[in-house]
Amino acid sequence: NAGVTQTPKFRILKIGQSMTLQCTQDMNHNYMYWYRQDPGMGLKLIYYSVGAGITDKGEVPNGYNVSRSTTEDFPLRLELAAPSQTSVYFCASSPLGNTEAFFGQGTRLTVV
Amino acid sequence: KNQVEQSPQSLIILEGKNCTLQCNYTVSPFSNLRWYKQDTGRGPVSLTIMTFSENTKSNGRYTATLDADTKQSSLHITASQLSDSASYICVVSGGLDSWGKLQFGAGTQVVVTP
């Protein structure tokens, strides 16, 4: 079972560059999330989506954008990368908003 | 201030021994509390999920308890194995109007030594 798949696993960006983190799930979940995890801190919600075509900001959305054109895919776009965006990014999905969430393996991003 | 506090920050235990991790939260209203295991370099994996009416829930050698009155939870690992070395994260879900906004603890790093 694939579950939640994230690509790439690692990436180094230069300041000011842009990139898209890919996330796809094969469980037909309506709800999808993007989190970032910084050392010694709990995961912080960046954006979430309740279904195709519907997205909303989380706790730390600045510097990021998302789209949800299909149920399966929820890409995260970084525009004008900054060192503060160095982090590990996790995509997750759940069947309903208040049920168990399934996480991808993460993308480790370094901005230099 | 983080609404989910975990202790200890880290601990080292001998293989075969038991240990207990603590989680205190201030999230209100409360919907459910989850414990996740996160291996190094991997995403979190769910161990248990409890609603306010559940006092205890087990998953193999992992047993979680919940006291919704005192807003405390614990995760007990029995007969630890080397594969239990990981970060254990307590996550609290608020009411239905905040379903998408889980509150994460910083995690307890557990190292099991031979």
Side-chain angles (χ1 to χ4, degrees), chain B residues 6-107:
Chain B
Q6 293 187 242
S7 62
Q9 188 174 6
S10 62
L11 67 93
I12 301 173
I13 59 173
L14 289 174
E15 187 178 12
K17 299 296 186 183
N18 304 335
C19 69
T20 300
L21 316 180
Q22 301 292 339
C23 175
N24 296 334
Y25 63 92
T26 59
V27 178
S28 181
F30 170 84
S31 180
N32 60 60
L33 184 145
R34 313 149 187 222
W35 283 94
Y36 282 85
K37 178 186 179 188
Q38 185 177 21
D39 293 317
T40 301
R42 307 292 292 268
V45 175
S46 178
L47 293 175
T48 64
I49 179 169
M50 292 183 290
T51 63
F52 71 94
S53 62
E54 297 175 290
N55 298 119
T56 185
K57 182 165 281 188
S58 293
N59 179 357
R61 294 179 295 101
Y62 301 101
T63 300
T65 64
L66 173 64
D67 186 333
D69 291 331
T70 62
K71 298 186 177 179
Q72 295 179 323
S73 176
S74 65
L75 180 69
H76 187 76
I77 305 175
T78 302
S80 61
Q81 300 177 358
L82 296 178
S83 59
D84 292 330
S85 295
S87 178
Y88 292 85
I89 304 172
C90 176
V91 185
V92 180
S93 176
L96 289 177
D97 62 345
S98 61
W99 54 263
K101 300 169 186 175
L102 302 176
Q103 297 292 329
F104 287 77

Side-chain angles (χ1 to χ4, degrees), chain A residues 31 33 35 37 40-43 45 48 50 57 90 97-101 103-106, chain B residues 31-32 34 36 38 41-44 46 49 89 93-94 96 99-102 104-106:
Chain A
Y31 296 74
Y33 318 84
Y35 293 93
Q37 185 176 38
M41 307 286 288
L43 275 74
L45 182 65
Y48 64 96
V50 304
K57 297 178 180 179
F90 289 99
N98 208 22
T99 54
E100 179 182 350
F103 287 81
Q105 294 206 9
Chain B
S31 180
N32 60 60
R34 313 149 187 222
Y36 282 85
Q38 185 177 21
R42 307 292 292 268
S46 178
I49 179 169
I89 304 172
S93 176
L96 289 177
W99 54 263
K101 300 169 186 175
L102 302 176
F104 287 77

Side-chain angles (χ1 to χ4, degrees), chain A residues 74-94:
Chain A
F74 191 41
L76 177 71
R77 178 79 177 165
L78 279 72
E79 303 282 0
L80 299 174
S84 61
Q85 294 177 305
T86 294
S87 188
V88 181
Y89 292 83
F90 289 99
C91 179
S93 72
S94 63

